[in-house]
Amino acid sequence: MEHAEAKCSRVLRHGNCYEESGKAGNWDKVVKAYEDSDYLKTIVDNCMMSMSKSDFVITAHLANDKEFGAFWTQLHDEFELTKTMLLKLSGQEVLMANYPVDKKSIATREKIILPLVLIQHFALEKLQHDQNEKDQAALEKLAVRTVFGIVNAGRNLA
């Protein structure tokens, strides 16, 4: 787990980088780069779209987990910081405010996949414990089947 946490701290720094630039007195330069660069705008837009598809409520129970709690908290904190900084940079009040059709499409997708994700989490949680052979096979099949629905919903919407 230590390796995953160390890697996470190097990779998940999008919001942190913007925050540090602001603290260093370079926020105006960051904003100027954003305003002048379609490339940077695209990166920010793509980040906001990905963040719009994230739902920490589903995994919130992991915040108190002995093994994964610190990792989950680190991910969540960086997510919230990144969200704050991207909204500040883009001048938007909510993620994807400039793309209402795409935002609605993502919301529709989430309504489709939420039950599948919950079923998948249920099956995976049950698979962490000893099962008889029949239940083991059924839970494995259930977990795999939910992946198909989640992937298809992601491919067909937003």
Side-chain angles (χ1 to χ4, degrees):
M1 191 65 212
E2 289 177 32
H3 176 69
E5 287 177 6
K7 187 174 183 181
C8 177
S9 68
R10 289 192 309 268
V11 174
L12 298 173
R13 308 242 331 141
H14 199 113
N16 206 292
C17 289
Y18 287 131
E19 183 180 55
E20 289 174 12
S21 293
K23 287 178 181 176
N26 295 321
W27 185 250
D28 290 342
K29 291 178 184 176
V30 172
V31 172
K32 177 84 170 118
Y34 173 77
E35 291 171 348
D36 292 348
S37 172
D38 289 338
Y39 179 72
L40 182 55
K41 284 180 187 173
T42 300
I43 291 171
V44 169
D45 288 346
N46 287 343
C47 189
M48 284 196 230
M49 182 179 285
S50 293
M51 293 175 76
S52 295
K53 296 176 183 180
S54 299
D55 188 353
F56 280 91
V57 172
I58 295 169
T59 58
H61 65 281
L62 292 174
N64 298 319
D65 186 88
K66 287 181 182 179
E67 185 176 358
F68 298 107
F71 181 69
W72 185 94
T73 300
Q74 183 180 8
L75 286 172
H76 183 261
D77 290 350
E78 181 61 24
F79 176 91
E80 290 299 328
L81 176 60
T82 299
K83 179 178 169 183
T84 298
M85 298 309 296
L86 293 181
L87 292 174
K88 180 179 177 182
L89 178 62
S90 67
Q92 297 177 46
E93 292 186 26
V94 294
L95 293 175
M96 296 189 64
N98 294 342
Y99 301 95
V101 173
D102 293 335
K103 184 176 177 160
K104 176 82 171 162
S105 180
I106 290 170
T108 301
R109 171 193 174 270
E110 293 306 309
K111 287 179 184 176
I112 293 168
I113 69 161
L114 180 60
L116 294 171
V117 170
L118 294 174
I119 291 166
Q120 184 181 63
H121 280 237
F122 169 80
L124 292 172
E125 176 64 31
K126 289 289 187 182
L127 286 168
Q128 297 298 311
H129 307 287
D130 290 333
Q131 304 290 330
N132 64 46
E133 194 174 308
K134 182 180 175 185
D135 288 347
Q136 178 83 17
L139 289 166
E140 288 173 358
K141 187 175 182 179
L142 182 61
V144 169
R145 293 281 182 165
T146 60
V147 171
F148 299 138
I150 293 166
V151 168
N152 281 329
R155 214 181 303 158
N156 295 326
L157 296 168

